[in-house]
Amino acid sequence: MGRFVARRLLQMIPVFFGTTLLIFVMVHALPGDPVAAMWGDKAPDPAQVAALKHQMGLDQPMWQQYLDYMGGLFTGDFGTTLANRPVLDVITEALPVTIRLALFAFAIEIVLGIGIGLFAGLRRGKVFDKSALIFTLLLISIPIPVLGFIFQTTFADNLHWVTPTVQDSNDITQLVLPALVLGSVSLAFVARLTRTSIAENIKADYVRTAVAKGLPQRKVIGTHLLRNSLIPVVTFLGTDLGSLMGGAIVTEGIFNVKGVGNALYHAINLKEGSTVSGFVVFLVVVYLAAGLIVDLLYAVLDPRIRYA
């Protein structure tokens, strides 16, 4: 196990550098001059533009900019925004909000998604199963902006259970509605994956053997059936955690959540390459860590899987 983890960690190094390089190049290849854009509609002073570019290192070749950025990254310097604010301050202010939102949505999709999928798989072909398939298909089909508008109209404007937009992003109770919207599509996929896996494995020989031994139904389902059916679900959940954090731009915009999505949206509009790259670095680390955890969970869920 230790050798496997060490090998996976070594494999992460080129992936990390390759991903950050790709994002860095793509961000800096965007059309327009971010420094000149600071003057708005006014004509910028060429001397001031040149001075600011030299101060920020934007007059260097792209490869030199990347090396300087990565060098500062490993010393805790993520660069500065065009407003001369440290990018690390922007990240530490926005990242905790998005982490709370993403974990809230993640918990919702695990509890509701696996729960719905489990009961639908056990009752395949019955009313609950057909209703679950229709419900999850609707969630997948409705775009997130439309779903957000429906939730706002229903739960905020009509029922008055919550406020239509988030007033305090640090108040976790106000993140319930955005978390439901953010995790809705993933919830549907988790439910359908769980339902399909349960329906297939319920006819497996090891389930028949457990039933024949007279084991209680709760133990047959929990220890044998559900545990072995969760491998495809865990694979999806591992990649989805990073998607929830990176894909919160639309949801945070709808509900006015001051998180990563909101900060990324403004940084992209202002063409602040250092800010975008800083957030992407964290998202890349999340994806890599989630992938490693998923691989380790395979051996926990299925005793036949062993990493020598």
Side-chain angles (χ1 to χ4, degrees), residues 8-26:
R8 284 299 307 272
L9 291 175
L10 290 175
Q11 291 173 352
M12 290 180 182
I13 295 175
V15 174
F16 176 79
F17 281 102
T19 307
T20 53
L21 175 62
L22 180 62
I23 296 299
F24 191 88
V25 172
M26 292 176 64

Side-chain angles (χ1 to χ4, degrees), residues 76-289:
D77 182 12
F78 285 75
T80 58
T81 65
L82 295 178
N84 204 29
R85 184 185 179 189
V87 173
L88 189 59
D89 290 351
V90 179
I91 293 175
T92 53
E93 180 181 317
L95 195 62
V97 176
T98 298
I99 290 177
R100 283 194 294 269
L101 178 62
L103 290 179
F104 207 156
F106 195 64
I108 290 173
E109 71 178 70
I110 288 177
V111 175
L112 295 181
I114 294 179
I116 293 172
L118 174 62
F119 285 106
L122 293 174
R123 293 163 175 79
R124 185 173 184 178
K126 297 184 179 180
V127 176
F128 184 87
D129 180 33
K130 295 178 180 178
S131 302
L133 289 175
I134 295 173
F135 171 69
T136 53
L137 183 60
L138 284 174
L139 286 180
I140 296 171
S141 304
I142 300 175
I144 291 295
V146 177
L147 192 65
F149 174 75
I150 294 174
F151 275 50
Q152 281 180 325
T153 304
T154 304
F155 297 107
D157 297 336
N158 295 336
L159 298 176
H160 304 288
W161 289 355
V162 293
T163 56
T165 57
V166 175
Q167 308 299 320
D168 182 7
S169 298
N170 294 316
D171 185 0
I172 194 169
T173 59
Q174 297 188 26
L175 298 179
V176 175
L177 198 60
L180 281 171
V181 174
L182 180 61
S184 59
V185 176
S186 299
L187 182 154
F189 281 116
V190 170
R192 295 175 78 91
L193 275 173
T194 306
R195 179 254 181 197
T196 303
S197 189
I198 290 290
E200 290 178 354
N201 291 329
I202 199 171
K203 300 177 182 178
D205 292 338
Y206 63 86
V207 175
R208 292 200 190 100
T209 302
V211 174
K213 287 182 177 180
L215 295 178
Q217 185 180 17
R218 180 179 299 178
K219 190 170 184 179
V220 172
I221 295 174
T223 304
H224 298 277
L225 178 59
L226 181 60
R227 181 176 174 180
N228 288 279
S229 300
L230 284 180
I231 289 182
V233 181
V234 167
T235 304
F236 175 81
L237 290 173
T239 58
D240 189 56
L241 182 58
S243 300
L244 289 176
M245 295 184 62
I249 296 178
V250 176
T251 306
E252 290 184 357
I254 295 172
F255 292 97
N256 192 36
V257 180
K258 305 299 182 182
V260 169
N262 196 291
L264 268 175
Y265 175 77
H266 291 293
I268 291 172
N269 279 340
L270 296 174
K271 299 181 178 63
E272 291 184 350
S274 56
T275 306
V276 176
S277 300
F279 280 115
V280 169
V281 166
F282 279 96
L283 294 178
V284 169
V285 172
V286 170
Y287 271 108
L288 293 176

